[in-house]
Amino acid sequence: MDMMWFLMLSHLVGDYALQTDGMALRKGGSRKVLTLHVLLYIVTLALTLAIYAYFTGRFAFLSPRVLAALIAIFALHWIQDDIKARRFSDSRQAYYIDQALHIIQLFLLRGWLS
């Protein structure tokens, strides 16, 4: 099965299921809450990649390439969510752009690891 299915599932779990309503409301006013949200997202993504790598053998999970990708996604996700939460919290368009950028990053990650 294509890695993208796993990455999308990971995104849904990390960006929605593990983010409480309180976190969503408070991350614009608290960098601590924002960082916790992004850490949960990255842990979910890392676990997904580890499971995928184990069962498919398509890449080595414990590699500098995967670590660099996770750090980059952490930084990008943090910056995007910070901007959206602080400046555009009520904007539907900002929400859609934010989600599109997250998904584009996952497509880039798939290409980077393939």
Side-chain angles (χ1 to χ4, degrees):
M1 186 176 273
D2 190 278
M3 183 192 309
M4 200 61 209
W5 290 106
F6 293 90
L7 295 176
M8 289 301 295
L9 179 61
S10 173
H11 174 72
L12 292 173
V13 170
D15 215 23
Y16 292 99
L18 295 179
Q19 180 176 206
T20 66
D21 290 340
M23 288 171 85
L25 292 172
R26 293 182 24 228
K27 69 183 179 182
S30 170
R31 294 216 162 116
K32 185 176 176 180
V33 173
L34 174 61
T35 301
L36 175 61
H37 160 64
V38 179
L39 279 173
L40 287 171
Y41 182 85
I42 290 299
V43 167
T44 303
L45 183 58
L47 287 171
T48 301
L49 288 173
I51 291 166
Y52 186 83
Y54 178 79
F55 284 108
T56 66
R58 292 190 180 171
F59 60 91
F61 174 72
L62 296 175
S63 69
R65 173 171 259 189
V66 173
L67 181 59
L70 290 172
I71 290 169
I73 290 175
F74 176 91
L76 291 169
H77 195 108
W78 197 96
I79 291 166
Q80 286 170 220
D81 278 16
D82 186 49
I83 292 169
K84 183 184 60 120
R86 289 181 185 276
R87 297 202 175 110
F88 304 104
S89 62
D90 294 331
S91 170
R92 268 313 228 187
Q93 293 164 328
Y95 168 79
Y96 294 131
I97 291 168
D98 176 63
Q99 290 304 306
L101 290 172
H102 291 326
I103 292 167
I104 289 168
Q105 290 163 15
L106 295 178
F107 272 104
L108 293 172
L109 174 62
R110 184 183 95 191
W112 176 255
L113 296 177
S114 295

